[in-house]
Amino acid sequence: MEEYPTPVRIILLLKKNNYMSLEEMASSLGITKMAVLNHITVLEQNGSIGRKTVKKNVGRPSYVFYATENADRNLGSISETMLDDFMNYMKMTGREKIIEEFLKDRYSKVRSEYAADLAGKDFDAKVRKLALLREGSGYYPELKKSQENYEMVEYNCPILAISKHFGIACSMETGMFENVLDSEVKSTHRQVNGYGACRFIISRREENHH
């Protein structure tokens, strides 16, 4: 996350931790409170971040900050109003099949590209490479290893507007991960269901695990 621009790092931090004070953000990001405040001011103006008053027993009340639904747009999401309207139109006019065919074609192409990049690598290298590919596509992933499994959390969904109307996009994505990684992939959280991120648990297939 360190390599991302500071405004993006702030949004990702708030999507991950919900409410945070200036002090907490400054500490996590390794920058001054004033530097955080400068970025927060801009992010509040464009609607990416909101603030909530926390009353104290003594002294002045303080504030904690949170990422709003508009934050995704500043992470490169294409979930704009027009696309949302277009998805509604396609459903209302009975043309869901066109979108489904588009999604199948898209995931088929992406799967081929990923498979080529992951070819010849072992399980660990494949997972790390997949995270890099997703980063390059604007999903802002975070990868953690715990014992035998990997946890990949993606803090942005560039196709959120489509996924909201066509849940098949999410299942196709999980299936694509399983295919290119030749592993078991379980989706536990989805932004389309109101979570701040999409979370995947990636583990070796039993037959591949020695």
Side-chain angles (χ1 to χ4, degrees):
M1 210 163 102
E2 291 76 11
E3 66 273 20
Y4 300 142
T6 303
V8 170
R9 291 171 66 200
I10 289 172
I11 291 174
L12 294 179
L13 197 60
L14 291 176
K15 280 172 76 83
K16 188 176 176 182
N17 298 294
N18 282 330
Y19 298 104
M20 293 185 79
S21 65
L22 280 176
E23 291 84 355
E24 289 168 336
M25 284 188 275
S27 175
S28 294
L29 296 167
I31 58 178
T32 64
K33 265 187 8 178
M34 186 54 69
V36 173
L37 186 59
N38 289 338
H39 289 294
I40 288 284
T41 303
V42 176
L43 291 169
E44 277 190 295
Q45 286 171 354
N46 69 26
S48 298
I49 284 176
R51 69 168 71 191
K52 181 180 172 185
T53 307
V54 179
K55 292 180 180 176
K56 296 179 179 177
N57 291 331
V58 290
R60 293 189 307 173
S62 61
Y63 299 99
V64 288
F65 300 86
Y66 60 92
T68 68
E69 288 184 5
N70 290 329
D72 287 335
R73 293 183 183 182
N74 290 289
L75 295 179
S77 174
I78 58 167
S79 51
E80 302 294 340
T81 306
M82 185 179 284
L83 181 56
D84 201 48
D85 288 345
F86 175 66
M87 291 296 115
N88 266 325
Y89 172 77
M90 294 300 277
K91 286 182 85 170
M92 287 171 63
T93 54
R95 299 177 189 179
E96 292 101 328
K97 287 287 179 207
I98 295 173
I99 301 295
E100 288 178 14
E101 288 303 319
F102 158 72
L103 289 169
K104 283 177 186 172
D105 184 63
R106 177 185 182 273
Y107 279 112
S108 176
K109 286 176 181 172
V110 174
R111 184 173 61 242
S112 296
E113 291 169 7
Y114 283 5
D117 282 319
L118 270 54
K121 291 179 167 54
D122 63 23
F123 173 70
D124 297 281
K126 278 183 178 179
V127 177
R128 288 194 299 269
K129 180 63 178 177
L130 177 66
L132 284 173
L133 292 170
R134 301 295 282 179
E135 185 178 310
S137 299
Y139 286 85
Y140 295 99
E142 182 178 58
L143 191 65
K144 291 179 185 171
K145 187 172 185 182
S146 56
Q147 295 173 335
E148 294 296 309
N149 300 335
Y150 279 94
E151 175 191 61
M152 184 168 74
V153 179
E154 295 183 338
Y155 291 98
N156 187 44
C157 178
I159 61 160
L160 187 59
I162 298 177
S163 303
K164 279 179 181 174
H165 295 279
F166 295 89
I168 191 173
C170 296
S171 54
M172 282 183 179
E173 186 175 63
T174 305
M176 176 184 71
F177 288 166
E178 287 194 329
N179 183 277
V180 299
L181 294 171
D182 190 24
S183 63
E184 303 287 345
V185 179
K186 186 176 164 189
S187 171
T188 64
H189 296 65
R190 285 285 185 181
Q191 288 194 51
V192 74
N193 295 328
Y195 291 98
C198 297
R199 179 175 176 264
F200 304 91
I201 302 299
I202 304 167
S203 51
R204 301 172 191 268
R205 287 194 197 279
E206 285 303 315
E207 62 266 27
N208 296 340
H209 187 47
H210 301 291

